[in-house]
């Protein structure tokens, strides 16, 4: 009998917790809806343009970091065989 009472109170507590989470989710959805009402098509177009500009600048920075925009590609191709023939002190090929 005691286990039924404990299970009843545990389930009541669990239901209250789930109800609280549902209220919290509802409040967040309402806050998002209020914010999105103020968003018009012109603002959305501006945001899209800014995101595109940021993507292009990030790609340029990544290309510079990766060395894809080297100043002299002929020199890099000339140095490539030296980079491939790296050996360690034990005589094995590196890699």
């Amino acid at each position: 009998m005691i286990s039924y009472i404990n299970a009843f109170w545990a389930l009541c507590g669990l239901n209250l917790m789930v109800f609280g989470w549902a209220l919290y989710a509802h409040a967040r959805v309402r806050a998002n809806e209020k914010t999105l009402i103020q968003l018009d098509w012109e603002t959305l177009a501006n945001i899209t343009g800014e995101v595109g500009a940021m993507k292009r600048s990030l790609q340029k920075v990544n290309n510079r970091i990766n060395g894809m925009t080297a100043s002299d590609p002929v020199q890099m191709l000339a140095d490539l065989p030296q980079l491939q023939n790296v050996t360690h002190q034990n005589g094995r090929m590196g890699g």
Side-chain angles (χ1 to χ4, degrees):
M1 186 69 173
I2 292 177
S3 63
Y4 290 129
I5 293 173
N6 289 337
F8 172 77
W9 287 115
L11 289 174
C12 285
L14 213 66
N15 281 328
L16 284 175
M17 205 164 55
V18 169
F19 184 69
W21 283 337
L23 286 177
Y24 176 73
H26 179 69
R28 292 209 38 185
V29 167
R30 291 283 296 159
N32 285 338
E33 284 180 354
K34 275 186 173 180
T35 304
L36 290 176
I37 286 173
Q38 300 169 357
L39 187 66
D40 58 348
W41 287 107
E42 185 178 342
T43 307
L44 187 62
N46 290 338
I47 290 172
T48 304
E50 289 177 11
V51 168
M54 288 176 62
K55 284 173 112 178
R56 283 190 299 276
S57 66
L58 183 62
Q59 285 174 346
K60 286 180 185 177
V61 169
N62 281 340
N63 287 340
R64 287 182 189 145
I65 290 172
N66 291 335
M68 294 181 70
T69 58
S71 59
D72 191 11
V74 175
Q75 180 64 33
M76 288 184 66
L77 289 174
D79 292 340
L80 189 61
Q82 292 174 350
L83 294 173
Q84 289 178 345
N85 292 329
V86 174
T87 57
H88 293 289
Q89 291 176 350
N90 58 6
R92 291 189 281 169
M93 295 294 289

